[in-house]
Amino acid sequence: GQQVMQIPQYQHVQEGEDFTTYCNSSTTLSNIQWYKQRPGGHPVFLIQLVKSGEVKKQKRLTFQFGEAKKNSSLHITATQTTDVGTYFCAGPMNSGYSTLTFGKGTMLLVSP
Amino acid sequence: EAQVTQNPRYLITVTGKKLTVTCSQNMNHEYMSWYRQDPGLGLRQIYYSMNVEVTDKGDVPEGYKVSRKEKRNFPLILESPSPNQTSLYFCASSLSRQYNEQFFGPGTRLTVL
């Protein structure tokens, strides 16, 4: 079935190192969203990308949407301990855009 | 404060005992959905609702029912819970399907013995 794949599943970095998670879809997406879930918390919306090749920045976070609108990435520059959590990408998988399929997430651990 | 609320937050029950998890949002959102989160499987959509009286299946609907009689409420019903429904459940809402930013509730941790 249609799915969204995310890699890596887990990454452990030292504070100050960079981090990247990648998201790949089996189909072209109308848009892609990114969410962050802190340990013990609920997913929180970070951003939505809509245009082919779009790049958006939020402070140390950079989000990219691929030219073919089938892949996306989230890059964190100079990680901090507050970045700890699981990062999910999600996209509407059906033609009516009525369902949202999440990737399995990348768990980020940052050591001080 | 704009929010999605869920109740209960924690529930331990036994196989076969019907239960309902409530979800309510105060943002006048049209779109609401239920997800379950399991280790290694991420978030999977159970059911969604485009508006009042309009519901449809997500990726993992078996064993669940929903209703949307009012815009603000979207309860999840487990008629005969089984141990494989032990999971963390999230309700979410968004303005409409075109505006897909999902606002999640705090979650309900369900254990079925």
Side-chain angles (χ1 to χ4, degrees):
Chain A
Q2 297 172 332
Q3 54 184 327
V4 176
M5 292 156 286
Q6 220 175 322
I7 56 169
Q9 280 188 293
Y10 172 84
Q11 188 150 6
H12 185 181
V13 301
Q14 294 292 315
E15 191 171 25
E17 292 180 339
D18 291 357
F19 160 77
T20 304
T21 173
Y22 300 91
C23 183
N24 290 288
S25 169
S26 57
T27 62
T28 301
L29 298 169
S30 62
N31 65 78
I32 193 160
Q33 300 132 58
W34 286 91
Y35 293 80
K36 176 184 178 181
Q37 183 178 22
R38 288 200 162 96
H42 58 275
V44 175
F45 176 83
L46 293 176
I47 208 161
Q48 177 172 272
L49 304 172
V50 179
K51 298 177 184 175
S52 168
E54 189 170 15
V55 178
K56 286 189 176 180
K57 292 191 176 184
Q58 290 179 348
K59 298 182 180 178
R60 295 177 294 103
L61 278 61
T62 302
F63 303 84
Q64 293 189 350
F65 200 10
E67 294 290 340
K69 301 183 76 173
K70 296 180 73 173
N71 58 75
S72 181
S73 65
L74 159 59
H75 179 82
I76 303 178
T77 302
T79 54
Q80 300 175 358
T81 55
T82 53
D83 295 324
V84 165
T86 301
Y87 294 84
F88 294 95
C89 61
M93 284 284 119
N94 65 344
S95 59
Y97 309 146
S98 52
T99 63
L100 199 61
T101 298
F102 280 76
K104 293 183 180 179
T106 296
M107 182 184 296
L108 173 63
L109 182 62
V110 181
S111 295
Chain B
E1 180 191 353
Q3 60 182 347
V4 178
T5 56
Q6 293 179 229
N7 283 292
R9 295 290 312 280
Y10 302 90
L11 179 60
I12 301 175
T13 189
V14 295
T15 298
K17 187 176 180 181
K18 181 179 178 179
L19 66 92
T20 299
V21 183
T22 64
C23 172
S24 184
Q25 50 91 6
N26 62 0
M27 296 169 278
N28 201 35
H29 284 173
E30 289 186 349
Y31 186 97
M32 298 184 74
S33 58
W34 277 101
Y35 297 88
R36 62 176 289 174
Q37 185 172 35
D38 303 289
L41 297 178
L43 287 153
R44 293 179 293 168
Q45 194 172 42
I46 303 170
Y47 267 94
Y48 64 93
S49 170
M50 303 282 280
N51 213 325
V52 176
E53 302 293 0
V54 181
T55 63
D56 207 346
K57 298 176 181 178
D59 295 323
V60 288
E62 293 77 22
Y64 305 95
K65 284 177 57 178
V66 294
S67 68
R68 187 93 180 271
K69 292 183 169 55
E70 304 166 284
K71 197 170 187 179
R72 64 183 294 124
N73 297 323
F74 190 46
L76 179 69
I77 303 156
L78 284 72
E79 296 261 353
S80 183
S82 62
N84 63 14
Q85 293 178 298
T86 293
S87 187
L88 178 58
Y89 291 87
F90 288 103
C91 179
S93 73
S94 64
L95 191 60
S96 74
R97 63 177 178 172
Q98 286 85 3
Y99 301 95
N100 280 336
E101 175 184 350
Q102 302 284 304
F103 292 82
F104 282 82
T108 295
R109 186 164 293 280
L110 172 66
T111 301
V112 183
L113 302 175

